[in-house]
Every structure is written in C-alpha cells, then in structure tokens.
Amino acid sequence: MSVVEAPAIRIRGLERSFRDVSVLRGVDLDVAPGTIVALLGANGAGKTTLVRILATLLRQDAGTASVAGHDVRSDARGVREALSLTGQFAAVDEVLTGRENLALVARLRHLPDPNGVADALLERFSLVEAGRRRAGTYSGGMRRRLDLAMSLVGDPAVVVLDEPTTGLDPLARLEVWDAVRELATAGTTVLLTTQHLEEAEQLADRIAILHRGRIVQDGTLAELRALLPQATVEMVERGPSLEDVFLAVVGERPGLESPAGDAGTSEGER
C-alpha cells in the first residue's frame, strides 16, 4: 500500500479581518511536497494576507495553517525554520557583493562555512561571474535570482514567493521562471502568488484561484480548463505577440537575429 505524504502546506478555514473588512473568509488549501502551486488572484483578493499568516508575520482570526507539519500559531519557530519568504521586491543589500549577501544570510542562520554556502548558491543560480560585484550593479533579473538564492540558504522545505516578477521586464521574468522551476526540480515546495495568468500557466503544477477571500477553484491547468465548454477548432492565422517580437529582437528567442551593435552590452546593463 502506498503512503500518502502529508501536505507541505495545509490550510483549513482560515479567516482574517481588518476592522470591518473581511479579507480571508474561510480559506482551504493543500500544497503537496515538491510541487509548485500558484495562488492566483486580483489585487485585494487576500494573497499577501495569506502569505503573511503562513510566514508567522500576522495572526489569523480563525482556522488553522501548518507548514511542514508546524502550526503557524503554536509552533512559529518551527515554521520559520521550514519556510522562506521572498517578497514582491528583491531584498538584497546593494552595497554588498552578491557573494557577501549570501554569506551574510548564512551567518545569520548560524551555518558552518558561510562562504562555501555562498559559492554553491552562486553556481546554482548562474551568478558566479557576478558574485564579486556589488548587487547594486545587477540587472532586475539578476537581483531577483540573487534574492531567490538568499531564500534557499539553510535549505528550507518550503519557499513562498509573493508576486516574484513584479516590475520585471520580459527577459528578467523568464530568468526568474527558470529559477523557480529549478527550485521544484530540486525538491523544494513552492507557493507562488501572482495575478499574471501566464505565470501560473507556465510554472504551476496546480492553480488555486482566490477570490473575495475564498478559494473558489483549485486544480491542475487541465482540470480548470475543463470547467469551460470545449473550444471549437477554427483555422486562425496568429501573428507574433509583442513579447515574441521583443524577445527575438534582443536575441533571446530563435528566429530573429539581434540588431548589430548589441554585442558590447555589459551584464549589468541588461
């Protein structure tokens, strides 16, 4: 008989209000170990409030939530050891180098060999060449990759990403998507909040739709698509999207060569 693993994140009946405004109205959600679950919702749906409760930064009014088996209310320390939170904007120290940022977090977590930890994460996130440069010189995608690397110091079982591609250009967004996929491939559980439909489609094993403080649908992309009538097949000529054109012009997608003169662009200017 196969053994069913306990959810890495388990939420039941979670409620939270701010004065007279009910933000969460009975949220139920399970996140299986080693998967990416996208929490999809518009601004004001309650995504960040839910994330803050999971990270023990905010207390719920009712209901329960646990991370890696640790209750967020009764075992906050266990939750903090198991979970790493990455906010909407990269929380890197711009004065320090990439390597120094990582080593600092390793020291704060009292890990042996902080510099070794930093070097391993720079390698994992393809930041070795930039590791000795100040983080303030990094592009948006590099800064976010460094932020994700910092969130993995100490090997947390669960990583929560709160709208990780906010403010990033298309190239930087693709870099972050690749980094998130690598997290799940390595066995890390990822809860990703986003309001971008394409982001959820590209990354998530399951998608939960949060609307007016409740999970109104939860399933795989195929299961959610099955909720609507089957599409009729029509022959439509589709031209490239503006994003396709942009990525091709800057040389990040095959099919169109980069304009002449771009070869000298430095890593920090991208």
Side-chain angles (χ1 to χ4, degrees):
M1 178 184 293
S2 61
V3 178
V4 178
E5 281 190 276
I9 299 175
R10 184 178 179 84
I11 300 170
R12 290 292 180 273
L14 211 61
E15 298 179 11
R16 174 69 197 201
S17 297
F18 295 94
R19 295 187 178 179
D20 297 330
V21 179
S22 295
V23 178
L24 301 179
R25 306 179 182 185
V27 173
D28 298 317
L29 181 65
D30 285 343
V31 178
T35 63
I36 301 176
V37 171
L39 186 63
L40 188 64
N43 283 333
K47 302 187 302 296
T48 298
T49 297
L50 179 58
V51 164
R52 292 183 67 198
I53 291 172
L54 288 175
T56 73
L57 299 174
L58 187 67
R59 285 205 165 200
Q60 70 267 36
D61 296 328
T64 62
S66 63
V67 177
H70 304 281
D71 186 270
V72 297
R73 175 165 283 183
S74 63
D75 189 9
R77 180 174 180 177
V79 171
R80 291 168 189 160
E81 291 176 349
L83 178 143
S84 184
L85 170 63
T86 298
Q88 295 182 17
F89 302 98
V92 302
D93 189 316
E94 296 187 355
V95 175
L96 300 179
T97 67
R99 188 171 187 262
E100 288 169 343
N101 268 281
L102 290 164
L104 175 61
V105 176
R107 289 189 182 95
L108 292 174
R109 287 185 173 267
H110 306 291
L111 299 180
D113 190 17
N115 290 327
V117 171
D119 290 338
L121 286 168
L122 289 172
E123 177 74 30
R124 179 173 175 182
F125 284 86
S126 302
L127 291 169
V128 173
E129 292 184 5
R132 297 188 182 277
R133 285 171 32 208
R134 288 191 306 107
T137 68
Y138 287 12
S139 67
M142 292 168 65
R143 288 157 65 95
R144 180 52 92 179
R145 282 182 5 238
L146 176 61
D147 197 29
L148 289 175
M150 291 165 63
S151 73
L152 288 188
V153 173
D155 296 319
V158 177
V159 172
V160 177
L161 308 177
D162 190 12
E163 302 196 19
T165 58
T166 296
L168 296 185
D169 62 48
L171 293 180
R173 189 170 71 247
L174 291 178
E175 289 180 10
V176 172
W177 286 0
D178 287 341
V180 173
R181 292 186 186 100
E182 289 176 12
L183 295 184
T185 300
T188 304
T189 302
V190 178
L191 176 63
L192 166 78
T193 77
T194 183
Q195 53 184 314
H196 300 297
L197 304 181
E198 184 186 8
E199 191 157 271
E201 286 185 330
Q202 288 289 330
L203 296 177
D205 298 302
R206 296 185 67 84
I207 300 168
I209 300 175
L210 183 65
H211 181 63
R212 295 181 179 177
R214 292 189 177 92
I215 300 292
V216 294
Q217 289 293 341
D218 175 16
T220 65
L221 180 59
E223 290 169 344
L224 295 183
R225 282 176 170 162
L227 296 173
L228 298 179
Q230 185 131 17
T232 57
V233 178
E234 297 180 359
M235 298 299 293
V236 177
E237 185 175 340
R238 177 186 175 277
S241 68
L242 180 58
E243 181 170 319
D244 292 332
V245 173
F246 175 83
L247 294 173
V249 165
V250 298
E252 294 295 327
R253 283 202 180 157
L256 185 65
E257 294 184 358
S258 300
D262 281 357
T265 304
S266 68
E267 189 173 22
E269 294 172 335
R270 287 198 293 270

